[in-house]
Structure formats: C-alpha cells, structure tokens
Amino acid sequence: MFNFEPDNFMVGEYEDDQEIFRNKPNSIKEEGGRNWVYPKKPTGKFTNAREIVAFFLLAFFFTAPFIKINGHPLLQLNILERKFIIFGTAFWPSDFHLLAIGGLTLLLTVVIFTAVFGRIWCGWACPQTIFMEMVFRKIEYWIEGDRSAQIRLDKQDWDREKILKKGGKHIIFFTLSFVVANLFLSYIIGVEELGKIITDPPSHHWVGLTAITIFSFVFYSVFARFREQVCHFACPYGRYQSVMVNEDSVCVSYDFKRGENRANQKERVKAEKTASAKVSANTEVSVLDLAQGGSVPESKPFGDCIDCGECVRVCPMGIDIRNGIQLECVHCTACIDACDAVMEKIGKPKQLIKYASYNNIKKGINEIFTTRVKAYSVVLTVLASLFVYMLTTRADVESIVTRVPGVLFARIDDQTSSNLFNYKLVNKTFEKKHIELKILSPSAADLRNFGEFPNVNPQDISEGRFMVILPNSNLEAGKAELVLGLFVDGKQVEEIKTRFTGPK
Ligand code: SF4
Ligand code: SF4
C-alpha cells in the first residue's frame, strides 16, 4: 500500500495519531475483543445505483440454476465429479488447459479492473457485499432500526422487545442462510439432484443433507457474526490489494487538499474568535512593529471537511476514509453519499469524497491507462484470443490412447508382432455417440479390438484395450509410427499418432 504524504494529509491535531489506523483494524479493540460496527443506513445516488446492480445480480443468483439451455444447466460447477457446465457447454477434466486459460483470463481481467478502478468488484459485485449490505443488513435495519436504535437495543436489558427483535432477526437470518445454502449446492450438483435430496427419505442423502447443514451454518455465521471480518481477514482478493492498487488507481478517496484543515463548527468559531483577537492585538503591535518589518501571523485556512463523522458512521467496515486508502475499504461508496448529503446541507460543492486517484487529488493528474495497465491489457488480449480460439476449436469427443504399461511387444510369428494399447473415449456432448478408432497408416497394420467399439453415453467415458498387429518389415530399428483415426458416428474427427514397437 502506498503511503500518503502527511503534510498534505493529516494536519494539526491529527498528526499525533495519524498512524493508529495502520496498527490494528478498527473492528478489533485494543485489548483484542470485537468492536462491533453499527453502520448508519446509507442513502444517495450511489446507494441507489448499487441497489439496482444488486437486484440484477441477486435475480441471476436465484434463477441461474433453474435456467436451461437445450435442456442443460446454464451454469453447473460440479467439483465433486469434476464436470463443469458453463452456458450449456460441458467441460471435463481433460479440458483443464481450457479452464486454466479461462481462469487466467478472468484473473487478469480482475487485476486490470483493480489496477484501474480499485476494489470496484468488492463494492458492486462481490456476493459477500451484495448479500451482506443488500439483503441481511437491510433486514437488520427493518427489524432493529438504524444505527442509533441498534446501539440502544444492544445496550438494553433482555426484555420482551429485545428478545422478539433479536430472536426474529436470527430466525430470518438462518432461514435465508438455509435457502442460500440450498441454492449454492444446486450450482454444484444441479437442481434435479437437489430436488431428490429434498424429497427422498433423509437416509438416502445424508451426505447432501450434511453439506446443506454445514453451508447453512457457515452462511449464517458469515452474515450474522463475522461480516466485515470476512473481508478483512479471510478474503484473499482483499489481501492482494496492496500489490494491485497504486497512486493512479481510481478509488473511493477523500479529497484531502480540499478537505483539510478539517474542523467542526465549534472549532471554526473558536479559531475565528482567536484570530480576530490576535489581529486586533497585532494591529496594536503592528503600529509599533510595522516600521521594523513586522507582519500579522497567519493560521492554516480551514478546509471543507467539517469533521462531522458522517462518512465514518455509514462505513460498514468501520474505517475512516479520511485516513486514505486502506485494505479494509471495499469501495461501497456509502461514505460518498453521506458526505455529499453533508456538503449539500452546508452549501459546499459535493464530491469531497469521490472516485479519484491519489495522483488526481494531489497533482491533478488523471492518467488511468498507465504503462502497467497497458502491459496488462496486451497480455489480456493475447490470453483472451487464445481462450476463444481453444474454445471454438475444442473437440466434443476426445480419445486417449496409451500403450499398456510393462508390455513392450509380442511375437505373433517370425514375421509379425503385436502391441497392446489402452484407450479412453470421452463423450462431452449431451447425445449418445458411436466412437471408434481405425488404423490410417501403415496400411499393413491390423487393429483388433477386444469386443465392439462402444456407443458412449452422453457425458460419459468408455475405456478398453485393443491390439495392433504389424508385419516386422514395416519396422525401422524396431519402431514404426502408427496413425489412428478417431471416428464419431462414422465421421473422422481427429488423427492420433502413437508408436509401434517390435523386434530390431
Ligand atoms: S462526511 Fe464529509 S464533512 Fe463529514 S467528516 Fe466525512 S469528509 Fe468530513
Ligand atoms: S471507506 Fe467508504 S467506500 Fe470504503 S468501505 Fe467505508 S464507506 Fe465504503
């Protein structure tokens, strides 16, 4: 994380404790306990925009497992059976290279977005933030009220009101976590399998039911207890911010040049009185001094920040954005809305807290596409092109042919030898396919399969063994190249090269 320069950033009485925020997270007490964060309900144009985005993302999350493309799931990530269906297309472990390139492309996209726009993902699209701020937090506001009401409720005795409110909230939280856990599982095993777990006798699906129970408790703990701690301590993306963000990244930032010297109304009035007292005293002095070159002492002028603390009160991470970019900040924009409302009330221009880079605030430079971002973009373009090429040329049926381990060759007679091969035929499509292997060259080679080549079921693998017999006259130094053709429903789709070994 880059350092802000204190001379522009923390001034006057704030200099003494300017580094305190770096030493420990705000949500942890000095003695180690939890400093519970009670964020004030945010309102404003950024909050409205985020609510609209969240609505569409939640709609996608809740409906995607039920959406089918040609009868197949839109999205299914079956990590247990290592089958992935993305936009109706099935991917297998043998497509690992494709998934790896796709994953790298996605990762680099996130890195570029982070380098340019900071943690825009965290604030606008991360499921943790969306569920926490747009679902669970809203339920909490609805039941317990805004920040001050929540603080009051937590302090009061366990009377009827507190039991009802707290009990009701936690029952709703757990029910919602249970629903989210079910949906989460449906992304892994599919809605049909989930339906079976729900409708069949529990003894048939104890593994699935255990998974749902564990997921429910994990989600409930995250949204009811851990909350911002997940972003602070558990999220690997959050931990990597310091290497991805720099002085040119556009982040939610406090305009310290405009905001400092911060002071509340009382301090301003007091300073004004002191200044006028000094001016009148100096005026008297200056009469004596002016002839000797004396001057009226000047104090640093106040900035636009009235130190009202509204930006801190709305922050769900419990931090003060005026301390600069911090690892804890998820760019939720709540402080922008809060400060804009304050600026509007005191008749000052909005955007004292805004989306801006450090260099933009400090030097007025607005360079988004830095050399680093340009370099990332070139790599991203190459990766994305490679990914698209591999995706469009990907075979629906795949075969793996390997020699049987431990067997070099067998002599059929003095002129002929044989080799044994294992084969694996993968049908990645959703239709049954007849898949077979035939010899393309040398023409003298004879392929003897042990049984028929199979009709491979949709999304299935068929394995077997075949023998190739070849006259020794085709061998050169005991070796010959074998070219096999992979035929799907009678049509050749691929050539496979392997080696035949015989006597020298
Ligand atoms: S809301 Fe604005 S004016 Fe109030 S403390 Fe924060 S930055 Fe200063
Ligand atoms: S500092 Fe502002 S943008 Fe960052 S988490 Fe807090 S309220 Fe959200």
Side-chain angles (χ1 to χ4, degrees):
M1 184 74 55
F2 56 91
N3 277 318
F4 288 86
E5 290 169 31
D7 58 324
N8 278 322
F9 198 59
M10 307 296 285
V11 289
E13 63 187 88
Y14 301 95
E15 272 173 10
D16 293 341
D17 59 358
Q18 62 179 293
E19 293 298 319
I20 283 178
F21 74 95
R22 292 192 199 280
N23 298 339
K24 67 167 189 63
N26 259 12
S27 56
I28 304 285
K29 283 182 185 157
E30 209 57 70
E31 60 274 18
R34 177 86 173 266
N35 230 346
W36 192 258
V37 180
Y38 296 94
K40 193 177 166 186
K41 195 176 179 177
T43 50
K45 70 173 187 194
F46 280 100
T47 306
N48 294 345
R50 283 179 60 232
E51 280 173 352
I52 293 168
V53 174
F55 172 81
F56 285 107
L57 290 175
L58 286 169
F60 178 81
F61 175 76
F62 282 101
T63 54
F66 301 95
I67 299 173
K68 305 273 178 193
I69 297 179
N70 298 327
H72 312 296
L74 173 75
L75 201 59
Q76 190 180 327
L77 307 169
N78 193 339
I79 42 173
L80 307 172
E81 292 176 17
R82 294 183 294 155
K83 279 189 204 169
F84 306 94
I85 301 175
I86 301 166
F87 295 113
T89 307
F91 294 88
W92 282 69
S94 53
D95 293 317
F96 178 76
H97 56 292
L98 196 60
L99 291 174
I101 298 284
L104 266 178
T105 311
L106 195 68
L107 187 73
L108 199 59
T109 309
V110 172
V111 169
I112 292 180
F113 258 82
T114 311
V116 177
F117 300 111
R119 291 174 81 167
I120 197 160
W121 159 262
C122 301
W124 293 77
C126 171
Q128 158 73 14
T129 314
I130 300 273
F131 272 102
M132 186 64 244
E133 301 307 324
M134 298 294 163
V135 181
F136 286 86
R137 187 92 68 193
K138 285 200 186 298
I139 293 169
E140 193 165 71
Y141 287 137
W142 172 58
I143 296 174
E144 294 187 0
D146 209 341
R147 174 188 153 86
S148 42
Q150 286 180 22
I151 296 173
R152 208 179 319 117
L153 187 70
D154 274 5
K155 279 187 185 156
Q156 81 189 42
D157 290 337
W158 279 95
D159 56 8
R160 187 183 141 83
E161 184 202 8
K162 186 165 175 172
I163 291 169
L164 279 178
K165 283 188 173 173
K166 292 278 177 196
K169 180 182 90 171
H170 285 286
I171 288 170
I172 295 176
F173 273 18
F174 190 79
T175 310
L176 206 52
S177 302
F178 177 74
V179 173
V180 174
N182 276 272
L183 268 160
F184 182 69
L185 196 62
S186 73
Y187 276 91
I188 299 173
I189 59 172
V191 273
E192 291 79 12
E193 281 302 311
L194 180 70
K196 283 183 202 158
I197 293 177
I198 295 168
T199 51
D200 286 357
S203 58
H204 293 192
H205 297 287
W206 64 270
V207 176
L209 289 168
T210 309
I212 291 175
T213 312
I214 292 172
F215 285 151
S216 302
F217 275 103
V218 168
F219 289 133
Y220 169 74
S221 312
V222 164
F223 297 120
R225 285 303 305 170
F226 297 121
R227 302 187 159 192
E228 77 285 347
Q229 309 271 306
V230 174
C231 307
H232 291 179
F233 306 118
C235 176
Y237 175 63
R239 312 305 301 169
Y240 277 105
Q241 291 307 305
S242 49
V243 290
M244 291 192 270
V245 172
N246 66 11
E247 288 94 334
D248 291 305
S249 306
V250 178
C251 300
V252 173
S253 312
Y254 166 65
D255 187 342
F256 50 86
K257 272 187 137 176
R258 197 188 127 193
E260 302 298 334
N261 187 14
R262 75 182 77 160
N264 61 30
Q265 199 53 27
K266 228 160 114 187
E267 286 164 336
R268 284 169 199 258
V269 171
K270 195 173 148 197
E272 230 168 73
K273 279 184 188 162
T274 316
S276 31
K278 269 186 188 168
V279 167
S280 40
N282 277 325
T283 312
E284 284 161 30
V285 172
S286 67
V287 174
L288 305 168
D289 277 0
L290 276 177
Q292 300 155 28
S295 65
V296 178
E298 278 180 22
S299 63
K300 196 160 183 177
F302 289 120
D304 282 354
C305 174
I306 58 166
D307 207 14
C308 63
E310 275 298 284
C311 52
V312 183
R313 273 189 284 277
V314 291
C315 179
M317 296 291 127
I319 59 169
D320 186 343
I321 190 67
R322 295 172 299 168
N323 289 332
I325 298 170
Q326 294 146 78
L327 273 180
E328 294 95 328
C329 174
V330 290
H331 287 198
C332 74
T333 70
C335 53
I336 301 183
D337 278 340
C339 191
D340 276 356
V342 173
M343 290 297 116
E344 203 172 5
K345 269 187 210 149
I346 63 169
K348 296 267 181 189
K350 289 179 180 178
Q351 300 283 285
L352 179 56
I353 300 174
K354 58 186 176 181
Y355 270 117
S357 69
Y358 174 71
N359 274 341
N360 177 254
I361 292 171
K362 177 143 171 76
K363 304 171 190 165
I365 299 170
N366 217 351
E367 196 187 2
I368 290 179
F369 292 100
T370 56
T371 314
R372 182 171 72 134
V373 172
K374 283 177 194 158
Y376 283 160
S377 305
V378 170
V379 180
L380 179 65
T381 312
V382 172
L383 275 177
S385 313
L386 183 65
F387 178 68
V388 171
Y389 171 76
M390 287 164 76
L391 195 63
T392 47
T393 54
R394 167 184 174 271
D396 282 343
V397 170
E398 204 172 81
S399 67
I400 300 158
V401 175
T402 51
R403 297 172 61 85
V404 173
V407 184
L408 207 54
F409 65 92
R411 287 178 197 273
I412 305 283
D413 53 40
D414 282 351
Q415 277 87 42
T416 326
S417 309
S418 72
N419 280 190
L420 266 181
F421 294 89
N422 286 327
Y423 69 81
K424 201 184 256 189
L425 305 173
V426 185
N427 179 5
K428 299 176 191 170
T429 70
F430 294 105
E431 294 98 38
K432 202 176 209 175
K433 298 275 181 196
H434 180 69
I435 309 172
E436 60 183 328
L437 291 160
K438 291 180 186 171
I439 298 275
L440 297 181
S441 83
S443 53
D446 183 18
L447 187 150
R448 305 258 176 99
N449 190 18
F450 301 103
E452 287 282 295
F453 274 111
N455 283 321
V456 186
N457 283 327
Q459 298 282 293
D460 207 356
I461 297 175
S462 177
E463 294 179 73
R465 190 171 277 189
F466 64 82
M467 183 199 284
V468 174
I469 300 167
L470 187 69
N472 293 342
S473 55
N474 285 266
L475 302 175
E476 257 178 52
K479 287 176 193 148
E481 188 186 66
L482 268 184
V483 183
L484 301 165
L486 177 70
F487 288 76
V488 179
D489 294 334
K491 202 171 144 203
Q492 189 189 330
V493 295
E494 199 188 330
E495 262 185 24
I496 304 149
K497 287 187 180 149
T498 184
R499 179 172 286 182
F500 187 96
T501 310
K504 288 187 181 169

